[in-house]
Amino acid sequence: MIHEVTHFDDTFSSFDTWYGTKNARDHAEDPRSRVNADSIAGYILGVVAKASI
């Protein structure tokens, strides 16, 4: 639901450059991540990368 709401023009006007929070984390350095719907949704939900062992 959060992903879809970020597409509204009165919220973030986000795009679907890539899908999934894993892909969002993998592309975190890409400037397009600032307007990617799953990047924004992951930020709102506090999704973090798994710690490596």
Side-chain angles (χ1 to χ4, degrees):
M1 180 91 158
I2 293 171
H3 169 105
E4 296 305 329
V5 171
T6 66
H7 290 301
F8 298 159
D9 289 334
D10 61 349
T11 56
F12 291 101
S13 299
S14 68
F15 298 100
D16 290 324
T17 308
W18 47 82
Y19 291 95
T21 54
K22 181 186 181 319
N23 285 330
R25 287 190 312 262
D26 291 345
H27 292 93
E29 297 296 321
D30 189 315
R32 296 175 293 173
S33 66
R34 294 180 182 203
V35 293
N36 184 62
D38 281 334
S39 298
I40 297 167
Y43 175 78
I44 291 168
L45 294 172
V47 174
V48 296
K50 291 182 180 180
S52 59
I53 298 175

